[in-house]
Amino acid sequence: MDSAEYERRIAARFASFDQDGNGYIDREDFSSAAKALLAEFGVTARCDKGQALYIGAEAFWQGMAGIADVDGDQRVTREEFVTGAVKRLRDSPQRFAEIARPFLRAVVAVANVDGQGVTVTDAGRVLRVLGVTPEAIPVASAALDTAGTGRIPSEEQLLAAFAAYFTTPEPEA
């Protein structure tokens, strides 16, 4: 696959971050994602899990802005996302883990409804709220259950899957 095709496919991931659909990613998109996740799981913003989610969302935004906001306007455009964030994160997956980990750790805490780990169903709820396409949700959430237990086994596996989704294009049909 050539670079232009790769960038075209990755640009589609931009919509997952652009929660309000205004054409750029900003702090409000990350805050909106946190708010929507809390509402989905019935968790209050003022509790420890809610606070951790907002703090994680802010850390994720700061990391994204640090990587991709070339002009310093506190917005990441589609072009900045494709040419900056995705390339840098693809070239350095550990960097993606660094910036995403606080948010994903908090997401796991919120989605771990029964305290026994995140279920495949709850992972699907998270993916839907975060803007993953409806067609991709069952495939993505089932792929996370590598042991066939109906639960996501580890934070590391979730981080790897999240990074792969946002930095790797879909296989060609």
Side-chain angles (χ1 to χ4, degrees):
M1 171 185 324
D2 67 17
S3 180
E5 176 67 9
Y6 175 82
E7 288 183 12
R8 185 190 66 74
R9 288 180 180 214
I10 287 298
R13 304 295 198 250
F14 177 83
S16 295
F17 282 109
D18 184 12
Q19 291 278 304
D20 57 15
N22 64 2
Y24 55 84
I25 302 166
D26 62 7
R27 175 178 278 112
E28 186 58 35
D29 290 311
F30 284 82
S31 180
S32 293
K35 183 178 180 179
L37 283 166
L38 292 176
E40 175 69 25
F41 287 94
V43 175
T44 64
R46 292 188 182 260
C47 74
D48 289 344
K49 287 181 181 181
Q51 289 297 296
L53 189 61
Y54 277 110
I55 290 167
E58 176 63 19
F60 199 176
W61 159 246
Q62 290 294 328
M64 175 75 72
I67 288 171
D69 184 17
V70 177
D71 60 11
D73 66 354
Q74 294 297 301
R75 296 178 179 177
V76 176
T77 64
R78 181 178 177 271
E79 182 180 335
E80 286 173 323
F81 181 79
V82 172
T83 61
V86 171
K87 180 182 180 340
R88 288 186 184 133
L89 296 174
R90 181 185 63 201
D91 293 346
S92 178
Q94 68 276 11
R95 178 71 177 131
F96 186 89
E98 285 174 31
I99 69 171
R101 186 179 308 277
F103 179 68
L104 289 178
R105 182 172 285 146
V107 167
V108 167
V110 167
N112 185 359
V113 177
D114 63 6
Q116 310 236 350
V118 178
T119 65
V120 171
T121 300
D122 288 334
R125 292 169 64 193
V126 168
L127 294 170
R128 181 184 50 76
V129 169
L130 293 180
V132 174
T133 62
E135 307 78 44
I137 290 172
V139 175
S141 40
L144 290 169
D145 181 18
T146 56
T149 63
R151 298 193 183 270
I152 313 309
S154 74
E155 178 183 304
E156 289 305 315
Q157 185 179 359
L158 184 60
L159 254 174
F162 195 71
Y165 177 77
F166 284 104
T167 61
T168 308
E170 305 91 6
E172 298 202 29

